[in-house]
Amino acid sequence: MIHHITLTGRSIALACDGTVTTQHGAGGATGAVYVEASHLTLLHDMRDGEFYRTGQNSWSPSGWRRLSEAPMRIANEQRRRTADDAPWDDPARHHSAWMAVLEDSAGALLVGCLDGRTPRLRADTAVLEAFTESGDPARWVILPGPATAVMARYARELGESLGGRAIEPQSVWCSWYSYYETISQEALEREIPQVAELGFKTLQIDDGWEVAVGDWEAGESFGDGMEAAATRIRKAGMQPGLWVAPFIALPGSRAVRDYPEMFVHNADGGLAVAGSNWGGDYYALDTTHPTAQTYVRKLIAKIVHRWGFSYLKLDFINAAAIPGYRHRQIDREEAYRTGLRLVRDTAGEETFLLGSGALIMPSIGLLDAVRVGPDVAPMWENYASDDLSDAKAYNALHAGINRLWLGRVIGVDPDVVFFRHRRNLLDDTQMQWLRDVAEASRYRCLSDQMTWLDEEEKEAVRAYLAAEEEPLEILGRYRFSLGEREIDLTEAIEGKASAYPL
């Protein structure tokens, strides 16, 4: 059925296979349209407008593109499989997960799902289409108005639909961007006293502590074990944090060798590849399988209740939602939420759960925070890549500002900031841009080795961590205020930078 609707002076034609309810605002104008349908098509008049996509997961490109331009996407097939939702990639049409916004000089129109099974959207210069992968009905909302206003309202309604958790400010020192996979017990012992003295709330050990991805025991570099590491952090007055990738395993791991039945399979019976890292492919746990569920429960119970870590960085968790054959054939985003519920129920309500590679909307109500962009790096640009999911500072800032609105409904982590000038190709302005978004996100995270910081830089870190939280107001696409201070990142996002790091 086709519905002709006027939204704040803009007329649209809406075709759908379900029910349509309009909600009127001030002056009798239509303030929102609610649709119960598996599929809807919206004929719009924004041929020269722009399209906002948020993407499926932490690393998916997010932001604005002109409808007349090529869509924002990851071109490399292998990278796309790891960092975005490959089944719904579209080289011709703009596409997004859960929600999208169209905007022109007359205003914006948001179409978003409030509850549905793997909802997706795609658009061109004439039509926006929204649907569920399963073909099951979903609850959609269409909101007219300024882009900042409709995104704020959508965030609020998402929280009402999916549930919410208290969003608390975080200050974290993470080992990754200093040590990568070389983190060790000795390095940790060097860092702990100074990290604590600077005023960090949490010290999080990142990848490198384990025997292998899928073999979650302390490796040779942590001879005293992970319980001892957590105890040292706690005795220094900080919350112990640990990186873990609970839903994946490498081919040579004990998990794959001993329990191949607990992984997602292909049609031919082989294990489905979920992505690539560590020099090869990795596989995804089937979170509906009883063996996998027992595996996850035991792993999280060991980390939290035996070792004593109360802050978990859950990485590569988008793998739980890959296409494939499962023990129970349920919607793949529901398989993801099933995995998160296992983690949350086992870890307990008091354990802080950060998702990286997290499906953004399906994490709401279960995770405390999500990474909202790719890995940062101590360089602004890289002439060798225009992929928005690659590790560089511009990409982290681009994602952080474009997903800042999500901070109304879930904690948002834009990744670490830098205070060091050693081993760093960023200038002071670029470092300040990153800090501004981190402060707006209420997620202050660093990874600088203490020996890389001079005394002036350490004092700047102390002041940064001790600063009072200022109220955030999002003023525009790339503008926001923190208390009396207004920050405009338009030049940072839209300005032309050198293609070379220096």
Side-chain angles (χ1 to χ4, degrees):
M1 184 175 179
I2 298 177
H3 304 260
H4 296 277
I5 302 170
T6 300
L7 294 160
T8 57
R10 186 189 297 280
S11 296
I12 63 169
L14 173 67
C16 72
D17 58 1
T19 61
V20 176
T21 305
T22 57
Q23 181 185 89
H24 296 283
T30 300
V33 178
Y34 294 90
V35 181
E36 297 269 352
S38 62
H39 185 279
L40 66 88
T41 303
L42 187 151
L43 183 65
H44 65 82
D45 60 351
M46 301 190 199
R47 186 175 186 84
D48 296 322
E50 293 178 89
F51 178 90
Y52 172 85
R53 66 164 269 160
T54 189
Q56 182 215 36
N57 68 65
S58 300
W59 309 314
S60 301
S62 59
W64 295 88
R65 276 285 165 88
R66 290 212 162 270
L67 285 165
S68 56
E69 295 177 340
M72 185 180 291
R73 59 189 288 266
I74 299 174
N76 180 275
E77 183 178 356
Q78 184 184 59
R79 177 62 182 163
R80 186 167 64 242
R81 181 181 61 190
T82 302
D84 204 2
D85 191 35
W88 292 108
D89 176 64
D90 192 328
R93 289 173 292 184
H94 299 270
H95 48 285
S96 188
W98 278 78
M99 61 82 71
V101 183
L102 300 174
E103 185 180 43
D104 64 8
S105 58
L109 204 60
L110 181 148
V111 180
C113 186
L114 296 173
D115 186 19
R117 296 182 174 181
T118 310
R120 296 293 180 264
L121 304 95
R122 52 195 176 202
D124 57 27
T125 54
V127 171
L128 184 147
E129 184 183 17
F131 53 92
T132 59
E133 182 177 86
S134 63
D136 294 314
R139 288 197 300 125
W140 306 89
V141 64
I142 303 171
L143 300 170
T148 53
V150 295
M151 292 161 106
R153 178 169 174 179
Y154 177 63
R156 185 176 70 249
E157 295 203 19
L158 263 181
E160 293 169 356
S161 176
L162 301 178
R165 299 181 61 80
I167 300 172
E168 301 291 343
Q170 299 297 314
S171 65
V172 182
W173 187 88
C174 161
S175 65
W176 181 245
Y177 297 99
S178 290
Y179 291 97
Y180 294 96
E181 292 176 63
T182 68
I183 185 62
S184 65
Q185 179 176 303
E186 291 71 26
L188 185 67
E189 289 172 353
R190 287 195 303 271
E191 300 292 346
I192 285 175
Q194 295 185 71
V195 170
E197 190 274 331
L198 290 181
F200 285 93
K201 173 185 174 183
T202 302
L203 189 154
Q204 180 239 309
I205 303 167
D206 215 283
D207 186 12
W209 63 268
E210 74 281 4
V211 172
V213 173
D215 292 347
W216 302 110
E217 297 292 344
E220 293 180 358
S221 61
F222 279 84
D224 290 348
M226 303 315 294
E227 183 177 355
T231 298
R232 289 186 179 102
I233 296 168
R234 193 180 303 105
K235 283 184 176 179
M238 295 179 290
Q239 176 175 232
L242 191 66
W243 174 95
V244 65
F247 301 154
I248 66 169
L250 292 173
S253 67
R254 189 174 60 193
V256 171
R257 185 174 65 249
D258 293 350
Y259 306 107
E261 71 279 5
M262 71 176 184
F263 291 86
V264 179
H265 285 67
N266 291 318
D268 63 6
L271 301 190
V273 172
S276 303
N277 204 44
W278 302 282
D281 297 335
Y282 55 82
Y283 303 129
L285 250 65
D286 171 5
T287 58
T288 73
H289 197 286
T291 304
Q293 293 178 351
T294 299
Y295 169 89
V296 171
R297 288 192 192 99
K298 287 182 176 180
L299 171 61
I300 300 303
K302 175 174 65 178
I303 292 172
V304 174
H305 302 301
R306 180 147 60 89
W307 291 350
F309 290 93
S310 52
Y311 176 108
L312 303 187
K313 178 182 175 183
L314 309 169
D315 213 350
F316 295 90
I317 53 177
N318 58 324
I322 65 167
Y325 289 85
R326 292 175 168 82
H327 177 71
R328 286 194 300 121
Q329 286 305 109
I330 63 174
D331 172 67
R332 58 194 178 97
E333 289 193 354
E334 182 54 35
Y336 172 84
R337 283 182 68 86
T338 297
L340 290 191
R341 287 189 199 99
L342 288 169
V343 175
R344 172 58 72 193
D345 290 348
T346 306
E349 291 298 315
E350 299 305 313
T351 300
F352 189 93
L353 300 180
L354 166 67
S356 181
L359 273 59
I360 302 295
M361 309 310 183
S363 298
I364 294 170
L366 291 170
L367 296 183
D368 295 287
V370 290
R371 265 279 293 280
V372 289
D375 280 13
V376 73
M379 63 178 180
W380 185 248
E381 265 293 359
N382 182 347
Y383 75 93
S385 172
D386 60 1
D387 181 354
L388 282 168
S389 74
D390 272 353
K392 51 188 179 182
Y394 172 81
N395 287 353
L397 185 77
H398 184 276
I401 188 64
N402 275 297
R403 283 174 163 168
L404 185 59
W405 65 276
L406 285 161
R408 294 180 175 93
V409 71
I410 192 170
V412 290
D413 170 18
D415 210 8
V416 308
V417 302
F418 299 92
F419 278 81
R420 72 182 194 249
H421 287 80
R422 294 179 60 189
R423 306 188 184 206
N424 188 354
L425 296 174
L426 299 174
D427 63 35
D428 287 339
T429 299
Q430 292 163 343
M431 288 195 287
Q432 186 60 50
W433 288 337
L434 293 173
R435 291 175 207 161
D436 287 338
V437 170
E439 189 175 344
S441 304
R442 301 200 300 165
Y443 219 104
R444 293 173 167 92
C445 185
L446 275 75
S447 192
D448 295 337
Q449 275 192 39
M450 294 299 105
T451 58
W452 294 352
L453 296 169
D454 62 28
E455 287 308 313
E456 184 178 347
E457 290 164 343
K458 287 179 181 178
E459 190 54 42
V461 173
R462 287 188 194 94
Y464 179 68
L465 297 178
E468 293 287 331
E469 296 291 334
E470 297 280 5
L472 167 69
E473 182 180 359
I474 299 177
L475 304 172
R477 189 175 290 186
Y478 307 127
R479 292 172 48 242
F480 58 91
S481 65
L482 290 167
E484 298 298 316
R485 188 164 66 99
E486 185 173 322
I487 296 98
D488 188 343
L489 297 179
T490 303
E491 176 62 25
I493 301 301
E494 296 184 349
K496 297 295 182 184
S498 168
Y500 294 87
L502 293 175

